């Protein structure tokens, strides 16, 4: 056994099955003192990097246009937009009258400030949840989280008088949905496990709200939204594997919701309302005919399942991820070969795919604008290309870049090369890797420092994205790579299912295979390889560190879900029951043993580990702070190395870290300084 690092906090170890269970005693002096000691230890160990951290912060900040105007969005008689100002943590929200020529030109002399989060935040945490203008444009509904626990207070601002009213409701999830009368709001409240479970109907001016719906099944989350046509409201109930939709005419908000298809285990369907061939209709994306989903239609008058007619059939090679509706077209969001594809189906014309310039990229419909608009907006970016908002003319297929996220200072996208590689997993499955580096780094054909990121859960896709901050690593000779492991959704629903429940080990094996491939290809070496992941991606990092620690030199785990077994055995914790569909129910003996076999906290061994930085949020309602704290405590007591082991707990933040754009940059600067230190690159 190695001796502890000087001044490293050593957590009290109890003679119990879970020796660090006491760290779950929130708000006790002993727990807070330990977390503060870990924070102080981190600052002491990284004290020499303080100038580097500040330099990195200024460097990253210097690439970001601090004072900027967002792309205005037309709606009714107004243009809505945001403005960022140097020195401010949050953007301000504005609107101005829509120019007579229909252009996007902002008239600052006539603009109206809708909301200034900077004035609301002070020096504390602030997260803006809902931000929604009433259909008559006279009222603004918004919600605020001031602790990071994702519990919101609801507000309504009269945009004519400036009067702000706090709605007298507690335990809200932050969502707000207007009915067409601009006087009725629907909102959702949380149960004791932080699950959205009740939908309420509130008429402005009244002190109470009517309970519309309550979901008793702990696996199902409840939400409410307006359809594309703005003529209907949808109450959506969804678990990880099953969904159910209820609909209500937005013009009659006091009416009763109608169920389109009663839930059946394994049947997922999602609905929207618009026009097909000039008639009002429902479009339903459903997996009833195959796991990659198909598209169905139903008339407005007969929306229930017995009247659904197939519009686009199931394709085993293409995942139908979403549908956007417009008066002149419906737009499919597809995924094929690991890449997102947008396919437009104009009314009365042949469908066509959207053409794009890069081989690996991120793409989605950002805004379908008003229902009658002849154009929509797409968001497009790549590892070496800053995000663009592209306007697509639905009839002509013509594209126009309306705005590209600026990079201040010298920047040339062509100086960086993006590649797509494939690694072979142990079972022969080909796992995609996206990477980017300066061209001369790749041309040198020498191992380089490499930052490998992964997630692999819930069917989420890690499509390549651009990062201003990442340039600070690339300019220092790093390669950045994303491992698109099973458990994500990059290659469709089957890819997701192959990395969950009894197949979860595939996620870890895929990530290790990607690391081995990058090393074998000569792109990096174990002494230069750093890995990172957050939340369920933190579970991934913890698992691979236990299994193959010698492959890596450093790791960063953000709000890591590492105490999986204990958390999944506690149904009183937020989200546990609904997570059974992702990880399994450990009350079943075979599931218990399966989770126990890979849970990072349970499998810490007396072996050498890479340098590690773990980050937690004290108010995190999704992954409790103690998961990282217990994991670090057990690692410190068990490992056989003297590598740097640090725990940072944001005592005033939640799952997403500290709020505010500058604080976020400081957090990135700390992580990069940690990597440069432990990789010997300072």
């Amino acid at each position: 056994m190695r001796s502890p690092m000087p001044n490293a906090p050593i957590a009290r170890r109890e003679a119990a099955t879970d020796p660090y269970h006491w760290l779950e005693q929130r708000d006790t002096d002993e727990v807070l003192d330990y977390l503060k000691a870990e924070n102080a230890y981190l600052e002491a160990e990284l004290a020499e990097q303080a100038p580097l951290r500040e330099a990195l912060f200024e460097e990253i900040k210097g690439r970001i246009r601090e004072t900027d105007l967002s792309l205005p969005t037309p709606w009714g008689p107004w243009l809505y937009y945001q403005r960022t100002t140097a020195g401010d943590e949050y953007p301000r929200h504005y609107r101005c009258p829509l120019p007579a020529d229909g252009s996007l030109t902002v008239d600052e002399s006539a603009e109206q400030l809708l909301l200034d989060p900077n004035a609301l935040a002070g020096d504390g945490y602030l997260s803006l949840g809902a931000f929604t203008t009433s259909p008559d444009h006279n009222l603004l509904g918004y919600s605020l989280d001031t602790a990071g626990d994702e519990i919101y207070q609801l507000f309504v601002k009269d945009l004519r008088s400036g009067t702000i009213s706090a709605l007298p409701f507690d335990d809200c999830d932050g969502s707000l949905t207007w009915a067409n009368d601009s006087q009725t709001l629907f909102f959702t409240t949380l149960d004791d496990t932080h699950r959205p479970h009740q939908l309420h109907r509130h008429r402005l001016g009244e002190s109470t709200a009517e309970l519309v719906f309550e979901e008793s099944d702990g696996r199902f989350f409840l939400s409410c939204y307006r359809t594309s046509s703005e003529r209907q409201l949808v109450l959506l109930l969804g678990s990880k594997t099953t969904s159910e939709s209820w609909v209500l005419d937005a013009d009659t908000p006091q009416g009763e919701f109608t169920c389109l298809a009663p839930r059946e285990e394994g049947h997922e369907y999602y609905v929207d309302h618009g026009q097909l061939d000039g008639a009002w209709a429902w479009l339903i994306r459903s997996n009833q005919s195959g796991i990659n989903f198909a598209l169905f239609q139903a008339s407005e008058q007969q929306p229930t399942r017995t009247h659904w007619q197939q519009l686009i059939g199931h394709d085993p090679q293409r995942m139908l991820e979403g549908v956007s509706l417009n008066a002149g077209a419906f737009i499919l969001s597809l995924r094929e070969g690991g890449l997102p594809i947008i396919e437009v189906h104009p009314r009365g014309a042949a469908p066509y795919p959207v053409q794009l310039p890069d081989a690996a990229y991120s793409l989605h419909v950002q805004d379908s604008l008003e229902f009658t608009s002849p154009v929509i907006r797409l968001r497009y970016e790549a590892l070496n290309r800053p995000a663009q908002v592209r306007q697509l003319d639905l009839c002509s297929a013509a594209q126009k870049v309306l705005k590209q996220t600026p990079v201040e200072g010298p920047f040339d996208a062509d100086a960086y090369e993006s590649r797509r590689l494939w690694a072979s997993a142990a079972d022969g499955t080909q796992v995609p890797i996206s990477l980017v580096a300066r061209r001369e780094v790749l041309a040198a054909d020498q191992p380089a420092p490499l930052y490998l990121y992964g997630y692999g859960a819930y069917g989420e896709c890690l499509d390549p994205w651009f990062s201003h901050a990442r340039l600070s690593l690339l300019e220092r000779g790093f390669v950045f790579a994303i491992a698109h492991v099973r458990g994500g959704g990059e290659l469709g629903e089957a890819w997701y299912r192959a990395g969950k429940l009894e197949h979860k080990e595939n996620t870890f094996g895929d990530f290790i295979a990607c690391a081995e491939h990058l090393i074998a290809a000569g792109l990096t070496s174990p002494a230069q390889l750093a890995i990172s992941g957050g939340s369920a991606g933190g579970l991934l990092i913890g698992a691979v560190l236990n299994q193959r620690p010698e492959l890596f030199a450093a790791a960063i785990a953000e709000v890591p879900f590492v105490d999986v077994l204990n958390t999944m055995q506690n149904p009183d914790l937020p989200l546990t029951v609904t997570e059974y569909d992702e990880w399994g129910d450990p009350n079943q003996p075979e599931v218990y043993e399966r989770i126990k076999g890979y849970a990072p906290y349970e499998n810490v061994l007396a072996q050498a580990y890479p340098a590690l930085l773990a980050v937690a949020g004290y108010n995190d309602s999704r992954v409790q702070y103690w998961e990282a704290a217990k994991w670090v405590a057990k690692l410190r007591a068990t490992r056989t190395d003297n590598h740097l082991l640090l725990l940072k707990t944001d005592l005033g933040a939640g799952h997403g870290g500290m709020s505010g754009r500058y604080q976020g940059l400081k957090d990135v600067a700390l992580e990069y300084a940690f990597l440069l230190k432990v990789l010997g690159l300072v």
Side-chain angles (χ1 to χ4, degrees):
M1 298 288 289
R2 60 96 185 95
S3 60
M5 294 287 283
N7 304 316
I10 303 299
R12 174 170 60 83
R13 185 181 178 92
E14 294 179 336
T17 304
D18 183 357
Y20 299 106
H21 179 74
W22 64 270
L23 281 165
E24 299 182 19
Q25 299 170 18
R26 179 184 291 275
D27 295 337
T28 62
D29 289 342
E30 184 180 22
V31 168
L32 287 170
D33 287 346
Y34 173 73
L35 297 178
K36 290 174 183 177
E38 286 283 6
N39 283 349
Y41 175 63
L42 177 144
E43 292 297 340
E45 285 295 319
L46 297 182
E48 291 184 359
Q49 273 64 53
L52 175 60
R53 283 163 62 180
E54 183 61 26
L56 284 166
F57 169 72
E58 293 294 337
E59 185 179 302
I60 297 169
K61 186 178 73 168
R63 295 193 192 97
I64 297 171
R65 183 166 295 174
E66 297 183 73
T67 299
D68 198 10
L69 186 73
S70 71
L71 184 63
T73 298
W75 184 36
W78 300 93
L79 286 178
Y80 289 84
Y81 52 95
Q82 300 175 25
R83 181 179 285 115
T84 54
T85 304
D88 285 343
E89 292 282 4
Y90 308 95
R92 291 178 174 85
H93 299 259
Y94 294 88
R95 71 180 181 184
C96 73
L98 182 71
D101 61 3
S103 70
L104 302 179
T105 303
V106 166
D107 181 358
E108 294 188 25
S109 66
E111 73 181 6
Q112 179 182 10
L113 175 63
L114 304 179
L115 193 68
D116 181 5
N118 300 283
L120 302 172
D123 296 326
Y125 180 94
L126 186 77
S127 175
L128 177 62
F131 183 91
T132 175
T133 310
S134 61
D136 66 5
H137 299 273
N138 290 329
L139 302 170
L140 171 68
Y142 65 96
S143 59
L144 300 175
D145 168 15
T146 56
D149 56 5
E150 298 181 68
I151 298 175
Y152 290 80
Q153 176 68 58
L154 309 180
F155 299 89
V156 173
K157 180 179 180 179
D158 190 317
L159 298 178
R160 297 160 296 187
S161 66
T163 303
I164 297 174
S165 303
L167 302 187
F169 309 116
D170 299 322
D171 300 321
C172 299
D173 77 340
S175 62
L176 288 168
T177 306
W178 290 101
N180 281 347
D181 62 3
S182 295
Q183 291 296 307
T184 305
L185 272 171
F186 291 85
F187 66 92
T188 305
T189 53
L190 304 162
D191 67 8
D192 292 340
T193 66
H194 216 84
R195 177 181 63 94
H197 75 129
Q198 291 181 335
L199 181 68
H200 303 264
R201 177 165 38 211
H202 170 66
R203 187 160 181 84
L204 298 183
E206 299 179 357
S207 59
T208 60
E210 175 191 0
L211 177 62
V212 176
F213 195 97
E214 180 169 7
E215 176 54 59
S216 59
D217 189 329
R219 298 177 305 149
F220 283 79
F221 279 37
L222 181 155
S223 61
C224 183
Y225 62 92
R226 290 167 65 88
T227 60
S228 296
S229 67
E230 299 184 358
R231 290 167 53 95
Q232 300 283 339
L233 304 175
V234 178
L235 165 59
L236 175 63
L237 304 160
S239 73
K240 295 290 190 296
T241 61
T242 306
S243 65
E244 179 179 88
S245 293
W246 297 64
V247 300
L248 173 65
D249 191 313
D251 289 330
T252 57
Q254 300 305 314
E256 299 293 326
F257 282 84
T258 299
C259 183
L260 267 63
R263 71 188 65 170
E264 295 179 8
E265 187 61 36
H267 182 212
E268 293 182 73
Y269 71 97
Y270 305 94
V271 306
D272 200 357
H273 181 265
Q275 286 182 313
L276 286 177
D277 298 325
W280 293 109
W282 291 95
L283 256 66
I284 306 105
R285 185 174 67 93
S286 166
N287 69 349
Q288 69 177 16
S289 58
I291 63 172
N292 278 349
F293 288 81
L295 187 63
F296 297 83
Q297 63 177 328
S299 70
E300 183 179 61
Q301 294 75 26
Q302 296 180 312
T304 54
R305 190 175 182 181
T306 54
H307 300 286
W308 295 2
Q309 297 179 327
Q310 183 170 288
L311 191 62
I312 304 290
H314 173 264
D315 186 337
Q317 303 303 317
R318 299 207 307 180
M319 175 73 175
L320 175 56
E321 292 189 320
V323 183
S324 302
L325 273 173
N326 184 280
F330 64 88
I331 302 99
L332 304 183
S333 296
L334 303 162
R335 185 166 294 275
E336 184 174 6
L339 293 173
I341 296 169
I342 299 292
E343 186 175 270
V344 179
H345 290 248
R347 185 190 301 174
Y352 62 86
V354 174
Q355 301 296 323
L356 297 163
D358 295 299
Y361 53 84
S362 175
L363 172 71
H364 65 267
V365 177
Q366 176 171 293
D367 194 344
S368 54
L369 300 176
E370 294 181 282
F371 186 66
T372 57
S373 173
V375 298
I376 63 170
R377 291 176 178 176
L378 308 175
R379 182 181 174 91
Y380 175 79
E381 63 187 308
L383 287 170
N384 61 332
R385 190 186 301 274
Q388 299 175 340
V389 179
R390 292 173 166 240
Q391 178 175 285
L392 175 70
D393 186 293
L394 294 170
C395 289
S396 69
Q399 294 184 50
K400 180 169 64 174
V401 176
L402 298 179
K403 185 176 180 65
Q404 177 166 300
T405 303
V407 180
E408 299 293 340
F411 171 75
D412 177 9
D414 291 332
Y416 306 90
E417 182 179 346
S418 176
R419 293 181 181 177
R420 174 61 69 97
L421 308 177
W422 296 83
S424 294
D427 62 1
T429 299
Q430 296 297 293
V431 183
I433 305 169
S434 300
L435 65 80
V436 66
R438 287 195 63 89
R439 291 188 180 277
E440 63 268 22
V441 170
L442 296 176
D445 202 22
Q446 294 291 324
L450 192 146
Y451 187 118
L452 179 61
Y453 188 82
Y455 187 72
Y458 306 113
E460 293 293 326
C461 300
L462 287 184
D463 290 323
W465 72 95
F466 181 83
S467 165
H468 289 77
R470 186 193 302 138
L471 295 175
S472 288
L473 293 182
L474 301 184
E475 289 300 302
R476 286 171 171 80
F478 270 76
V479 179
F480 174 81
I482 306 167
H484 302 285
V485 296
R486 281 175 282 186
E490 288 90 340
L491 275 79
E493 180 69 13
W495 194 252
Y496 166 43
R497 296 187 182 189
K500 65 182 291 193
L501 297 172
E502 68 271 21
H503 306 298
K504 190 60 199 172
E505 288 283 357
N506 285 336
T507 303
F508 316 136
D510 287 358
F511 191 85
I512 290 169
C514 289
E516 291 177 329
H517 182 84
L518 292 166
I519 293 168
L523 289 163
T524 190
S525 67
Q528 298 169 290
L529 180 53
I531 59 175
S532 178
S535 195
L539 184 159
L540 166 64
I541 298 305
V544 301
L545 288 181
N546 286 333
Q547 294 178 18
R548 294 292 302 278
E550 78 284 356
L551 274 181
F552 317 109
I556 297 174
E558 302 266 9
V559 291
F561 182 38
V562 284
D563 194 16
V564 190
L565 185 63
N566 290 314
T567 292
M568 294 304 297
Q569 290 183 96
N570 188 348
D572 295 329
L573 286 175
L575 310 183
T576 292
V577 173
T578 192
E579 294 288 297
Y580 287 163
D581 289 332
E582 181 75 19
W583 314 102
D585 180 357
N587 293 307
Q588 301 171 16
E590 69 279 8
V591 176
Y592 177 93
E593 292 301 324
R594 185 174 74 231
I595 296 176
K596 184 179 180 181
Y598 67 73
Y601 177 65
E602 302 293 329
N603 290 281
V604 169
L605 300 173
Q607 62 183 359
Y609 283 86
L612 173 66
L613 169 62
V615 180
Y618 191 65
N619 296 328
D620 193 341
S621 61
R622 304 191 191 194
V623 178
Q624 301 294 325
Y625 72 88
W626 61 70
E627 300 217 14
K630 290 167 61 178
W631 182 45
V632 168
K634 192 171 185 180
L635 280 166
R636 189 166 280 137
T638 309
R639 66 196 177 119
T640 61
D641 63 272
N642 278 323
H643 295 138
L644 202 55
L645 174 58
L646 301 175
L647 170 66
K648 176 177 180 282
T649 304
D650 291 319
L651 295 174
H655 196 67
M658 297 298 289
S659 64
R661 57 174 175 164
Y662 293 112
Q663 183 58 54
L665 297 184
K666 289 178 180 178
D667 291 343
V668 173
L670 183 150
E671 295 181 8
Y672 286 3
F674 165 79
L675 287 181
L676 294 172
K677 173 183 173 68
V678 299
L679 294 180
L681 299 174
V682 176

